[in-house]
Amino acid sequence: EIAFILGFLVFSSYKSKIQSDAQLSNSNVSDKINIENANIYKIFYFLTSVLFLISQLLFYILGGIPLFSEKSKIEIYSSIGPVYKINLALTILMIYLVFCNYVYKYRKTTLIDGLIAFALILSLILNGGKSGLLNIVFISTLSTAYYYHINKEMYFLITEKMKKFNLIIISIALPVAMLVAAINTGDMSLLGGVKSLFFRVASFGDTFYMTTDYFLKFYKTKDYLSEGLFYIFGDVLRSLHLISLSEMPVPLGYQLMNNVYGTNFIGITGPNARHNLIAYLLFRPPFNFIFSFSLGLLLSFVRNFLFFRLPKNFIGGLIYVGLFISFYSVNTDITLSITSFTSLFAVTVPIFMLSLLIAKTK
């Protein structure tokens, strides 16, 4: 944990740069709408919207609706493989693009845009994630913060509007999360929903008390460095068809759950494996300290450094939001972060390059 914090502090000094920039310079690099960016945005928005609707439809056809399915979300996600990862990336892109449509005003908002936004919100609920709607709050907050670079005068007005908007989303998200938790457990009472939601929040800390001396001794027989790297990048190897599904490393959370309760279930539930647990179990000194330090450094680089160094337009915001969304959870779930990043990269780059090519030919 200390190594992670030390890594995070490397770029922390850049946090104060926003104040010095505001005081020493009043240069609004991208205050004016760039016509080329506007054209790219329109094409990018159209392509992403179409692909999002198609992927969401395929998601439900192949895997069913997670909210009403008897299968766990993980079982559904595993069964549809690439479709889930593509849909995950497109959902993140759509939240950001809907925000841009509202703030940057690159194009006039139409009834179709409203229907797309409605479909986006509905999908976040039907996909069965308890925190699905909170992704809207998170991404819009990140986007609002980055908007400071685009137009400093409008930034404060947008911030006030987003506070009200986020408050509405949060007030809706809480009862929706309770409803999703109640449906997942089969207890539709109010108390059942509250208990299920509280259990999910509390289980984030289960990693520590479930990690018994027996489990630690068991894991110390492993081949450290190769085991750790294979665990972290196993999902990427699976996506590239370099390993089969049966060869995928079993998440530590499931192994902890099975060890404590004497079960043998895979893909049901389990606590998140924090970075320090992975570092201790799967790496040997000094690699375990290097591992945690590198994760802290990565998060600091994205959060504190790139915020000031990326292009001051919607493209820079797209890169910043995408990287932050991918890596903000490196300390609690590194495998999820790697999956999110590779999915976003694989989906965003081709769509953006195609948008750029179409814009250039016009």
Coordinates of all heavy atoms in Angstrom, one line a residue, residues 8 10-15 17 146 149 297-310 312 320 324:
F8 N 1.7 7.1 -6.6 CA 0.6 8.0 -6.9 C 1.1 9.5 -6.7 O 0.6 10.4 -7.3 CB -0.6 7.8 -6.1 CG -1.8 8.6 -6.4 CD1 -2.5 8.4 -7.5 CD2 -2.1 9.7 -5.5 CE1 -3.6 9.2 -7.8 CE2 -3.2 10.5 -5.8 CZ -3.9 10.3 -7.0
V10 N 4.0 10.8 -7.4 CA 5.0 11.2 -8.4 C 4.5 12.4 -9.2 O 5.2 13.4 -9.4 CB 5.4 10.1 -9.3 CG1 6.2 10.6 -10.5 CG2 6.1 9.0 -8.6
F11 N 3.2 12.4 -9.7 CA 2.7 13.4 -10.5 C 1.7 14.3 -9.7 O 0.9 15.1 -10.3 CB 2.0 12.9 -11.8 CG 2.9 12.3 -12.7 CD1 3.0 10.9 -12.9 CD2 3.8 13.0 -13.5 CE1 3.9 10.3 -13.8 CE2 4.6 12.5 -14.4 CZ 4.7 11.1 -14.6
S12 N 1.6 14.2 -8.4 CA 0.7 14.9 -7.6 C 0.9 16.4 -7.7 O -0.1 17.2 -7.5 CB 0.7 14.4 -6.2 OG 1.9 14.7 -5.6
S13 N 2.1 16.9 -8.0 CA 2.4 18.3 -8.0 C 1.6 19.0 -9.1 O 1.4 20.2 -9.1 CB 3.9 18.6 -8.2 OG 4.3 18.0 -9.4
Y14 N 1.2 18.2 -10.2 CA 0.5 18.8 -11.3 C -0.9 19.2 -10.9 O -1.6 20.0 -11.6 CB 0.4 17.8 -12.4 CG 1.7 17.8 -13.3 CD1 2.8 17.0 -12.9 CD2 1.8 18.6 -14.4 CE1 3.9 17.0 -13.7 CE2 2.9 18.6 -15.2 CZ 4.0 17.8 -14.8 OH 5.1 17.8 -15.5
K15 N -1.4 18.8 -9.7 CA -2.7 19.2 -9.3 C -2.8 20.7 -9.0 O -3.9 21.3 -9.2 CB -3.1 18.4 -8.0 CG -3.3 16.9 -8.2 CD -3.4 16.2 -6.9 CE -4.5 16.6 -6.1 NZ -4.6 15.8 -4.8
K17 N -1.2 22.9 -10.7 CA -0.9 23.6 -12.0 C -2.2 24.3 -12.5 O -2.1 25.4 -13.2 CB -0.4 22.7 -13.0 CG 0.0 23.4 -14.3 CD 0.7 22.4 -15.2 CE 1.0 23.0 -16.6 NZ 1.8 24.2 -16.5
Y146 N -12.8 18.3 -17.3 CA -12.0 18.6 -18.4 C -12.4 19.8 -19.2 O -11.6 20.4 -19.9 CB -11.9 17.3 -19.3 CG -10.7 17.3 -20.3 CD1 -9.5 16.9 -19.8 CD2 -10.9 17.8 -21.6 CE1 -8.4 17.0 -20.7 CE2 -9.8 17.9 -22.4 CZ -8.6 17.4 -22.0 OH -7.5 17.5 -22.8
H149 N -10.7 23.3 -19.6 CA -9.7 23.6 -20.6 C -10.3 24.2 -21.9 O -9.7 25.0 -22.6 CB -8.9 22.4 -21.1 CG -8.1 21.8 -20.0 ND1 -7.1 22.5 -19.3 CD2 -8.0 20.6 -19.5 CE1 -6.5 21.8 -18.4 NE2 -7.1 20.6 -18.5
L297 N 1.7 4.9 -9.9 CA 2.3 5.8 -10.9 C 1.4 5.9 -12.1 O 1.2 7.1 -12.7 CB 3.7 5.3 -11.4 CG 4.4 6.1 -12.4 CD1 4.9 7.4 -11.8 CD2 5.7 5.3 -12.9
L298 N 0.8 4.8 -12.6 CA -0.1 4.9 -13.7 C -1.3 5.7 -13.5 O -1.7 6.6 -14.3 CB -0.5 3.4 -14.1 CG -1.6 3.3 -15.2 CD1 -1.1 3.8 -16.5 CD2 -2.0 1.8 -15.3
L299 N -1.9 5.5 -12.3 CA -3.1 6.3 -11.9 C -2.8 7.8 -11.8 O -3.5 8.6 -12.2 CB -3.7 5.8 -10.6 CG -5.0 6.4 -10.1 CD1 -6.1 6.3 -11.2 CD2 -5.5 5.8 -8.8
S300 N -1.6 8.1 -11.2 CA -1.2 9.5 -11.1 C -0.9 10.1 -12.4 O -1.3 11.3 -12.6 CB 0.1 9.5 -10.2 OG 0.5 10.9 -10.0
F301 N -0.3 9.4 -13.3 CA 0.0 9.9 -14.7 C -1.3 10.3 -15.4 O -1.4 11.3 -16.0 CB 0.7 8.8 -15.4 CG 1.0 9.2 -16.9 CD1 2.0 10.1 -17.2 CD2 0.3 8.7 -17.9 CE1 2.3 10.5 -18.5 CE2 0.5 9.0 -19.2 CZ 1.6 9.9 -19.5
V302 N -2.3 9.4 -15.3 CA -3.6 9.6 -16.0 C -4.3 10.8 -15.4 O -4.8 11.7 -16.0 CB -4.5 8.4 -16.1 CG1 -5.8 8.7 -16.6 CG2 -3.8 7.3 -16.9
R303 N -4.5 10.7 -14.0 CA -5.3 11.7 -13.3 C -4.7 13.1 -13.2 O -5.4 14.1 -13.4 CB -5.5 11.1 -11.9 CG -6.4 12.0 -11.0 CD -6.5 11.5 -9.6 NE -7.3 12.2 -8.7 CZ -6.9 13.3 -8.0 NH1 -5.6 13.7 -8.1 NH2 -7.7 13.9 -7.2
N304 N -3.4 13.1 -13.0 CA -2.8 14.4 -12.7 C -2.0 15.0 -13.8 O -1.8 16.2 -13.9 CB -1.9 14.3 -11.4 CG -2.6 13.8 -10.2 OD1 -3.8 14.2 -10.0 ND2 -2.0 13.1 -9.4
F305 N -1.4 14.2 -14.7 CA -0.5 14.7 -15.7 C -1.2 14.9 -17.0 O -1.2 16.0 -17.6 CB 0.7 13.7 -15.9 CG 1.7 14.2 -17.0 CD1 2.7 15.1 -16.6 CD2 1.6 13.7 -18.2 CE1 3.6 15.5 -17.6 CE2 2.5 14.1 -19.2 CZ 3.5 15.0 -18.9
L306 N -1.9 13.8 -17.5 CA -2.6 13.9 -18.8 C -3.7 15.0 -18.8 O -4.1 15.5 -19.8 CB -3.2 12.6 -19.2 CG -2.2 11.5 -19.5 CD1 -2.9 10.2 -20.0 CD2 -1.3 11.9 -20.6
F307 N -4.3 15.3 -17.6 CA -5.3 16.3 -17.5 C -4.9 17.6 -18.1 O -5.7 18.4 -18.7 CB -5.7 16.5 -16.0 CG -6.9 17.4 -15.8 CD1 -8.2 16.9 -15.9 CD2 -6.6 18.7 -15.5 CE1 -9.2 17.8 -15.7 CE2 -7.7 19.6 -15.2 CZ -9.0 19.1 -15.4
F308 N -3.6 17.9 -18.0 CA -3.1 19.2 -18.5 C -2.4 19.1 -19.8 O -2.1 20.1 -20.5 CB -2.1 19.8 -17.5 CG -2.7 20.0 -16.1 CD1 -2.5 19.1 -15.1 CD2 -3.5 21.1 -15.9 CE1 -3.1 19.3 -13.8 CE2 -4.1 21.3 -14.6 CZ -3.9 20.4 -13.6
R309 N -2.0 17.9 -20.3 CA -1.2 17.7 -21.4 C -1.9 17.3 -22.7 O -1.4 17.4 -23.8 CB -0.1 16.7 -21.1 CG 0.8 17.1 -20.0 CD 1.5 18.4 -20.3 NE 2.5 18.8 -19.3 CZ 3.2 19.9 -19.3 NH1 3.0 20.8 -20.3 NH2 4.1 20.2 -18.3
L310 N -3.1 16.8 -22.6 CA -3.9 16.4 -23.8 C -4.5 17.6 -24.5 O -4.6 18.7 -24.0 CB -5.0 15.4 -23.3 CG -4.6 14.0 -22.8 CD1 -5.7 13.3 -22.2 CD2 -4.0 13.2 -24.0
K312 N -6.8 20.3 -26.0 CA -7.9 21.0 -25.3 C -9.2 21.1 -26.2 O -9.6 22.1 -26.6 CB -7.5 22.5 -25.0 CG -6.1 22.5 -24.2 CD -6.2 21.7 -22.9 CE -4.9 21.9 -22.1 NZ -3.7 21.2 -22.7
Y320 N -8.9 11.4 -22.2 CA -8.7 11.5 -20.8 C -9.8 10.7 -20.0 O -9.5 9.9 -19.1 CB -8.8 13.0 -20.3 CG -8.8 13.2 -18.8 CD1 -7.6 13.0 -18.1 CD2 -9.9 13.5 -18.1 CE1 -7.5 13.2 -16.8 CE2 -9.9 13.7 -16.8 CZ -8.7 13.5 -16.1 OH -8.7 13.7 -14.7
F324 N -9.1 7.4 -17.8 CA -9.4 7.5 -16.4 C -10.4 6.4 -16.0 O -10.3 5.7 -15.0 CB -10.0 8.9 -16.0 CG -10.0 9.2 -14.6 CD1 -9.0 10.0 -14.0 CD2 -10.9 8.6 -13.7 CE1 -9.0 10.3 -12.7 CE2 -10.8 8.8 -12.3 CZ -9.9 9.7 -11.8

